[in-house]
Amino acid sequence: MRELQRDKGMINPDLTPLIDVVFQLLIFFMLVTTFSQYTKFDMNLPQSNVETMDKPEVEVDLIIDKEAKLFLKIGDESIEIPRDQLVEKLKEFMEGRKEQVLVISADKDLKYETVIETMGQVKNAGIEKIEINTIK
């Protein structure tokens, strides 16, 4: 009779491997989210009724944020460009790429004058194909 009572004891599962996996997932997501600080910009784009056009293979964006800072985004990488070096950097990048389209994304609350000055600098760099990014 005593042997039957010993076998009916409670079995406690070991939670250590589960906790280890949860902590590893937490560390993974913390590391992955810190590497993407320049991939997203807080932008308030103006609206448009124009249909979307075909996208080029490598999209090149010139982003102007709320503080009028300039960022050149090529694919998934983006670099900040000082305003006085914009023409040189664009000439350097667009050399040999006459068919490349430059997409300008400017914040809706930005001064109109800032966008026009930037477009003038883009034209001075020899870029003829310019698109302005909007939301529909």
Side-chain angles (χ1 to χ4, degrees):
M1 206 54 163
R2 288 185 177 198
E3 291 179 13
L4 291 176
Q5 288 178 351
R6 270 188 288 178
D7 292 338
K8 291 184 180 180
M10 260 327 241
I11 298 175
N12 292 330
D14 187 20
L15 295 178
T16 306
L18 177 68
I19 293 171
D20 288 344
V21 169
V22 169
F23 278 128
Q24 286 177 356
L25 286 172
L26 178 68
I27 290 170
F28 171 77
F29 285 115
M30 285 172 49
L31 288 176
V32 169
T33 57
T34 58
F35 289 132
S36 62
Q37 78 184 46
Y38 287 115
T39 57
K40 301 212 184 231
F41 295 93
D42 185 25
M43 305 252 339
N44 188 8
L45 294 174
Q47 291 189 356
S48 171
N49 293 330
V50 178
E51 293 294 323
T52 59
M53 300 177 67
D54 294 334
K55 299 251 181 193
E57 293 176 12
V58 177
E59 188 169 321
V60 181
D61 285 336
L62 180 63
I63 299 170
I64 312 170
D65 67 358
K66 291 180 184 180
E67 291 86 29
K69 292 181 184 175
L70 298 172
F71 296 91
L72 187 62
K73 184 178 176 193
I74 304 162
D76 291 333
E77 297 182 25
S78 61
I79 56 170
E80 185 173 359
I81 300 177
R83 188 166 289 280
D84 57 343
Q85 296 178 4
L86 177 64
V87 175
E88 293 85 23
K89 294 284 186 182
L90 286 176
K91 280 182 182 178
E92 181 180 305
F93 174 73
M94 297 301 250
E95 187 176 338
R97 299 179 181 181
K98 295 293 181 188
E99 298 299 317
Q100 181 70 47
V101 177
L102 180 72
V103 179
I104 298 177
S105 301
D107 195 273
K108 184 171 91 172
D109 299 328
L110 195 63
K111 287 185 180 180
Y112 182 71
E113 176 183 8
T114 306
V115 178
I116 295 301
E117 285 176 1
T118 305
M119 289 176 72
Q121 288 179 327
V122 168
K123 285 286 189 180
N124 289 339
I127 300 170
E128 297 296 325
K129 296 185 178 184
I130 300 173
E131 293 180 3
I132 297 179
N133 196 7
T134 60
I135 57 173
K136 190 170 185 179

